[in-house]
Amino acid sequence: MNIASFLQPKIEVTFLQDNMTLDRAIEILKHSGYSAVPVIDKEERYVGVVSEGDFLWSITDRHSQTGIKGVKSLKKSIVRDIIRFGRVRAVCIDTDMEELLEQAKNQNFVPVVDDRNVFIGIVTRRDIITYFARNQKKEQVLQPGE
């Protein structure tokens, strides 16, 4: 099965630009309702994922280090400053379903990139589980009863 059939294209996905200020990024994340979103650079290449926790820890760390509070701190930093690189690895569009499942064990979605590392969308853990559940039912139907 090709994962393209599960792909939610970039145009339908909430994502952040890595050069965006933290205050703007928090607004986008807040309105999206998601707890984590992909991040891309100006060439639309996948950079990583940021989560609510990344924002929280960044704000807390900056306040304890600089004493700067609130919005001032958020306007002085960009998303690239808080990404923990390599935490959520993207997959290529031709990745097999087993690898996709392996990636989804630890995250709610799997970022998908093309052969130039350009972000093209995500596959959700829900869609992956649904795929495997349907295939399991089909296999049970095809196997002779005991």
Side-chain angles (χ1 to χ4, degrees):
M1 174 61 86
N2 186 327
I3 68 171
S5 60
F6 302 107
L7 184 72
Q8 289 184 16
K10 177 172 66 175
I11 196 160
E12 298 175 5
V13 175
T14 299
F15 60 89
L16 303 174
Q17 296 280 338
D18 69 341
N19 61 353
M20 186 178 284
T21 62
L22 293 186
D23 62 333
R24 176 71 179 125
I26 288 171
E27 279 301 310
I28 291 171
L29 189 65
K30 181 173 106 176
H31 290 294
S32 76
Y34 299 118
S35 60
V37 295
V39 178
I40 63 173
D41 66 13
K42 65 182 177 183
E43 285 85 29
E44 299 189 1
R45 294 178 303 218
Y46 173 75
V47 176
V49 170
V50 291
S51 68
E52 292 171 331
D54 295 329
F55 286 102
L56 176 64
W57 290 117
S58 173
I59 292 166
T60 304
D61 288 347
R62 288 183 201 294
H63 175 65
S64 65
Q65 291 172 3
T66 65
I68 298 173
K69 294 182 181 179
V71 176
K72 282 185 182 178
S73 172
L74 299 177
K75 289 184 185 285
K76 292 185 177 191
S77 298
I78 59 175
V79 172
R80 186 181 316 116
D81 296 337
I82 68 169
I83 295 174
R84 291 186 284 162
F85 296 97
R87 186 178 66 181
V88 177
R89 191 172 58 89
V91 299
C92 290
I93 193 69
D94 60 355
T95 299
D96 64 40
M97 289 303 293
E98 285 72 26
E99 172 64 20
L100 196 62
L101 177 63
E102 191 62 36
Q103 287 290 104
K105 285 181 181 177
N106 299 314
Q107 58 210 41
N108 291 330
F109 63 90
V110 179
V112 181
V113 296
D114 67 11
D115 58 351
R116 298 172 297 136
N117 200 41
V118 171
F119 177 70
I120 58 175
I122 65 170
V123 176
T124 65
R125 182 167 36 197
R126 172 180 292 173
D127 288 339
I128 297 166
I129 292 170
T130 300
Y131 166 81
F132 279 101
R134 283 186 187 143
N135 279 351
Q136 180 70 23
K137 287 180 183 178
K138 286 179 186 176
E139 286 178 17
Q140 289 173 352
V141 169
L142 295 175
Q143 292 178 356
E146 298 179 347

